Each structure stands twice: as C-alpha cells, then as structure tokens.
Amino acid sequence: MSLEKIGSVQAHAERVWDLSTHSGIPLLASCSSDKTCKLFDISNGIKEVSKLDEETHSKSIRSVQFKYSKDTTYPTLALGSFDSTSSIWGADDFKSKWELLAVVEGHENEVKCVDWSIDGKFLSTCARDKSIWIWETDELNEEFECVAVLSEHEGDVKFVNWNDKGLNDDHTFISGSYDDTLRVWRQDSYDEDEWNCVANLSMDSTVWSATWINNNTILCGLDDGRVIQCIRKVDNNKDGIETDRDNLPSTVKDVEDWIIDKVWSKHEGSVYSVSCKDDTVVSGGSDGVIRVYNLNGDILAEKRLAHGTSEVNVVAVVKTGVVASGGDDGVVALWKV
Amino acid sequence: MSDEPINANPQVKDVSQLPTRLGGSSNEDNAFPHISYNNKLNNTIRNYLFEEEEEEEENTIDVEQKIDEYDEPIDAQEIYDLISSISDPEHPLTLGQLSVVNLSDIHVKHPDLNKGYVGSVNVKITPTITHCSLATLIGLGIRVRLDRSVNKSYRIGIYVKEGTHQSENQVNKQLNDKERVCAACENPQLVKVVGRMLDTCTI
C-alpha cells in the first residue's frame, strides 16, 4: 500500500532538519539549516502560521521539540542549534506571536537534539562534545538550571528522547551516538540528582534516532539502514529479589536487561528518523523512503522518493495513520495511510 | 597546519598522464607541455562550469525538471574531471597529479527513478601516506565539490581505499556522516581551507 500525500509546503529555503507535533493543538513546527523555525496549522492541510525570530541562532537549527501539553493555550517549544546554544519559545495561544523565553548555553559545539520530559520538568540537550546535559526548569520555562552532565558516550550524541509512553513522573530517556551505542538513562530512585545509565547496547553503526514503542520496547534507526527493535527483558524471578537490591553495589543495582530483539525493516541508506505515536510507527532516511508500521512491526504502507530525489531527514507521527516528513528539499509534507 | 609538510616528497604525475575527456592534445608545445596543457585544462574546466552555472541561473525550472526527469547519466570520468583538479591542502598540486584520486576507484550506480531508486557515486581516495592527517580534509573537499555539482539523484559516498590509512574506519565514518559534514560546512575556517582547495576547479 502506498502513502497518500494530503498536504505539502515549501517550508524552507534549505534542508528541513527536524519536525515536532504539539500534543494538544494541530500545530507542527519545522526547523532548518536556513536558521529559521516555522509553525504550521495542520488542522486542514498545512498552512504556515508563524515564524520565530531569525536573529536568535547564527547557525543551522538542528532540533525542535514541543513541550508535552494537552492544553490549547501557552504552547512552548525548544530549539537546538549548531551554534552550540538552545532556545526556549512560548506563545499565548495558537496564532499569537512567539516570544523568546530563554537561551540555554553550556555545550562546547553543535547541539544535535533537545527533548522535554513528559511532565515538562526537565529538558535534555546533547551535542558533538559527547555530553548530555539535563536542565531543570520552572513552570514558566524562563529559568533553566543544569542538574547533570552525562559524559559517558564516546562520540557525538545524536539524540535524546524521554520516555513518553510511561507514567507522568517516569524520568527515563534514551540516547544514541556516533559511538554506535544506544543507552537507557534513569533518574535514581533515591537520589534524584543522580542519573544512571542502566543499559548500553552496541549497534555496530551510528544510532541516528530512536522512539519508545512502550515502556519496555524501543525502536532505533541506524546508519547502516536497519530499523531495529530493542526490548527490556523483565524476568519475574528477578523482580522477586528486587527488595534485596539495596545491598548490591550501586553500579550493579541499576543495570537492566535490554536486548536487541528483531529487525523491522532495512532501508537502502541511513535511517535518520523513527517515530511512534498512538498505534502508528514510521521510519525515514537517506534513501528517500518513508515506511509506516503497526506496533508489531508489520509494514502498512511505503512511499519511495517521498521528497523527490532528496533525502528524508525527519518523520513524525501526527496521529493514527497520519505522518509528517521533512527533507533536504526544504519541503514539509503530510501523508495518510 | 605546521610549516613542515606532512609528506614532503610525494610522487607526482604529470598532468598529461592523467585520464581526461576535457581539452585536446597535450603535444602542442613540447618545450613546456605541463604548463601549456595545465592552462588549457583549467580554461576548459572554467568554460565548462561557467556555462553550466549560467544555465542554472537562467532557467531554474528547467534545471529542476532535469533533476526530476534525470536525462543525462553521469560517468566515472565526469566525476574524475570534477575532483581531480582539486588542490592538495599542502602541495601546489592537484589530487589527480598526486594520484589521491584515480579513475579506477570511482564507481557510479545509476538511479532508477521509475522504480523509486536513487543512484550512487562512490569515490575511494588514496592518501599519499598512511598516517596522513589531511585525509579527512581532502575527503571533505571532494564531498563539497560533488555535493555542489552532481545531480541530487546520486548519493555520494567517500571512502579511504582499503589499507591506505591507519584510521580507515574513523575517517570513513566521519566523511559519510551527513550531520558532521553539514556542521563542518558552517565552520568559517574549514570553509576557507576547502575554498582554497577548490579554487583550482573554479566553481
């Protein structure tokens, strides 16, 4: 089955790097190497509604992420740029002017990804400097305090992605890197200033992107073209001795049993993006192919040359059966299964 | 870069020995075949590129259509012509003259757009010495040149030839990481160095 294009716009003059959909409003954000971020109304087709101030970032904007919210007022988003800074933006509602709330500085070089914890308390940023920074923020998102710097990766950290499929206070996220690993991080249950790497999976290829399918299942997009599922093996017997874990050394008690489970599909080039929401999963990459799956990994639909001969840099599930994509051609498109 | 070249005495080929489809016979001036041919080569490349650029500016829609329809297949020689004239970052010589770029190490796979498949251009470079720290820079220069000149329906792959570099995997990984290449192209210092390397190709 093929994907039907239900909307498309020449959003940017240069490559579209990233997209984000708001969880309460039919609003889509895109960012580009043209150093701009734009917002689109996607309630009916795709219409540009605003453009953020262009003077804020001096280099490509690599990442955009809305803060999770079911409200229709006060949407907030974060941007990460190759200029080494991240910026936070807010508006009163859908169509009002977006204001710069904060600029978050600390990384030595290109910020590659930004993401919010589902309760909005934390923002994570990662960069080519191999580090992940965790920032604690207030309700208005005007103050950002760095509470942790995680430097265990041995290469650029390509992305951070908080668990959005768990409970509201589940402070767990995954990161992927140029060092060919996928890591799972959890806030320590006793010392909330401690963040532990509870799993370190070797993938033999740069991990470009990953998404949560559920609490114990992660899907990754790799440079070698594989779309690969990892699962957490939850052993009932092990859970039984959990009460004894306090006696173990701290390095041991937090290790979880994550394994590489199965390959969902293989692209003919780097898989730059995977996304999951509701019961729809999508992958896209340098081969220009967009593939849509159900939660079991069955392919429901595929579109080849989705952005002409250009590479697809990002795919995002809007809602069941509807996905958005952005490519090197500067186009943002909407598709329906 | 220090004043001391990393490879002070590289093997150099005369331009007339290099495979080309551009320009005419190299035997017109026997006294200075190198210089006369070199000039001619540069002029030909200049004209060739200049015409191409003009065309692009005049009629963007046409060019876009061309990309969509993809009517003129490229070949290894054309890729060689595009990159062999790039200058080495530490010698006043081209990558063709230093045999860093060789025709036999360029492989082109044509796209099949009707079936939805893009093509590829793979270039293997041979650094002049196995620990050459400039391999990444040379590769970046080649990538920038090809990204600018080659039809978007070809994916560009740049690799160090097997066994010619100590950190082969590391260099290959870096040269083919889109994000790192894009970031490098926003670094003013690198852009300047790459620009100087590409000066001899008159983009």
Side-chain angles (χ1 to χ4, degrees), chain A residues 60 62 156 180 286 313, chain B residues 155 173 178-180 186:
Chain A
S60 286
R62 175 66 183 94
D156 317 8
D180 298 351
S286 67
N313 293 318
Chain B
R155 299 288 179 262
K173 195 168 168 117
K178 178 184 193 171
E179 199 173 43
R180 286 180 86 120
E186 290 188 54

Side-chain angles (χ1 to χ4, degrees), chain A residues 27-86:
Chain A
L27 196 57
L28 178 75
S30 68
C31 65
S32 159
S33 47
D34 70 7
K35 308 178 185 75
T36 66
C37 170
K38 287 184 176 178
L39 293 141
F40 302 91
D41 175 354
I42 51 167
S43 53
N44 182 17
I46 176 162
K47 278 182 236 84
E48 185 177 330
V49 283
S50 37
K51 185 176 176 182
L52 305 191
D53 175 42
E54 289 168 55
E55 307 297 316
T56 311
H57 289 292
S58 61
K59 288 185 177 175
S60 286
I61 303 176
R62 175 66 183 94
S63 176
V64 58
Q65 192 64 49
F66 279 111
K67 187 167 87 164
Y68 182 85
S69 167
K70 284 286 177 201
D71 297 337
T72 52
T73 52
Y74 302 113
T76 309
L77 64 79
L79 300 177
S81 166
F82 280 177
D83 69 8
S84 85
T85 69
S86 304

Side-chain angles (χ1 to χ4, degrees), chain A residues 15 59-60 62 82 110 112 156 158 178 180 206 208 268 272 286 304-305 309 311 313 328, chain B residues 67 113 115-118 152-153 155 170 173-174 176-180 182-183 186-188:
Chain A
R15 90 165 34 85
K59 288 185 177 175
S60 286
R62 175 66 183 94
F82 280 177
E110 301 97 67
K112 310 230 161 183
D156 317 8
K158 296 296 192 189
Y178 187 78
D180 298 351
T206 298
W208 280 108
E268 293 123 42
Y272 291 130
S286 67
R304 303 195 68 88
L305 302 179
T309 54
E311 301 189 356
N313 293 318
D328 274 353
Chain B
I67 289 169
L113 297 186
K115 288 190 178 149
Y117 289 89
V118 292
K152 295 279 173 278
S153 55
R155 299 288 179 262
Q170 215 180 312
K173 195 168 168 117
Q174 199 167 339
N176 295 291
D177 182 299
K178 178 184 193 171
E179 199 173 43
R180 286 180 86 120
C182 290
E186 290 188 54
N187 176 326

Side-chain angles (χ1 to χ4, degrees), chain A residues 29-294:
Chain A
S30 68
C31 65
S32 159
S33 47
D34 70 7
K35 308 178 185 75
T36 66
C37 170
K38 287 184 176 178
L39 293 141
F40 302 91
D41 175 354
I42 51 167
S43 53
N44 182 17
I46 176 162
K47 278 182 236 84
E48 185 177 330
V49 283
S50 37
K51 185 176 176 182
L52 305 191
D53 175 42
E54 289 168 55
E55 307 297 316
T56 311
H57 289 292
S58 61
K59 288 185 177 175
S60 286
I61 303 176
R62 175 66 183 94
S63 176
V64 58
Q65 192 64 49
F66 279 111
K67 187 167 87 164
Y68 182 85
S69 167
K70 284 286 177 201
D71 297 337
T72 52
T73 52
Y74 302 113
T76 309
L77 64 79
L79 300 177
S81 166
F82 280 177
D83 69 8
S84 85
T85 69
S86 304
S87 58
I88 316 300
W89 301 77
D92 290 343
D93 60 49
F94 203 141
K95 281 171 182 164
S96 60
K97 191 169 159 40
W98 284 75
E99 303 286 349
L100 179 64
L101 303 176
V103 174
V104 179
E105 290 176 327
H107 284 290
E108 281 170 31
N109 44 39
E110 301 97 67
V111 174
K112 310 230 161 183
C113 188
V114 292
D115 194 30
W116 303 84
S117 64
I118 194 146
D119 59 2
K121 268 189 192 163
F122 297 104
L123 178 78
S124 282
T125 60
C126 62
R128 183 162 64 86
D129 62 16
K130 304 173 188 173
S131 69
I132 299 165
W133 293 45
I134 301 174
W135 309 82
E136 194 169 0
T137 180
D138 59 331
E139 229 159 84
L140 295 172
N141 299 127
E142 285 167 349
E143 302 289 332
F144 285 81
E145 189 198 345
C146 179
V147 292
V149 175
L150 311 171
S151 322
E152 289 179 37
H153 274 295
E154 287 159 15
D156 317 8
V157 187
K158 296 296 192 189
F159 68 88
V160 281
N161 190 339
W162 290 82
N163 181 9
D164 56 350
K165 305 295 191 290
L167 299 169
N168 197 33
D169 61 351
D170 184 356
H171 292 150
T172 304
F173 66 89
I174 42 181
S175 62
S177 165
Y178 187 78
D179 69 8
D180 298 351
T181 67
L182 173 81
R183 291 174 203 237
V184 185
W185 306 82
R186 282 194 208 273
Q187 187 178 32
D188 193 281
S189 42
Y190 301 104
D191 180 357
E192 61 178 32
D193 289 333
E194 278 293 314
W195 297 79
N196 304 313
C197 177
V198 295
N200 181 359
L201 288 145
S202 182
M203 297 294 186
D204 300 321
S205 182
T206 298
V207 188
W208 280 108
S209 173
T211 186
W212 293 84
I213 305 291
N214 60 48
N215 260 327
N216 295 316
T217 312
I218 295 163
L219 191 72
C220 308
L222 305 183
D223 196 59
D224 64 13
R226 284 177 296 163
V227 176
I228 206 166
Q229 175 179 298
C230 302
I231 54 166
R232 182 184 175 190
K233 277 172 81 179
V234 186
D235 190 335
N236 288 333
N237 292 331
K238 255 191 187 166
D239 274 359
I241 47 167
E242 194 134 33
T243 42
D244 290 337
R245 285 190 161 200
D246 287 349
N247 300 325
L248 294 168
S250 63
T251 46
V252 174
K253 77 173 174 190
D254 287 309
V255 173
E256 296 173 4
D257 198 7
W258 286 85
I259 56 157
I260 294 170
D261 184 38
K262 61 177 180 186
V263 175
W264 278 25
S265 83
K266 183 115 172 41
H267 280 260
E268 293 123 42
S270 315
V271 182
Y272 291 130
S273 182
V274 289
S275 162
C276 169
K277 192 176 178 184
D278 302 332
D279 54 3
T280 301
V281 187
V282 61
S283 66
S286 67
D287 57 0
V289 175
I290 298 176
R291 218 165 264 158
V292 179
Y293 319 76
N294 62 19

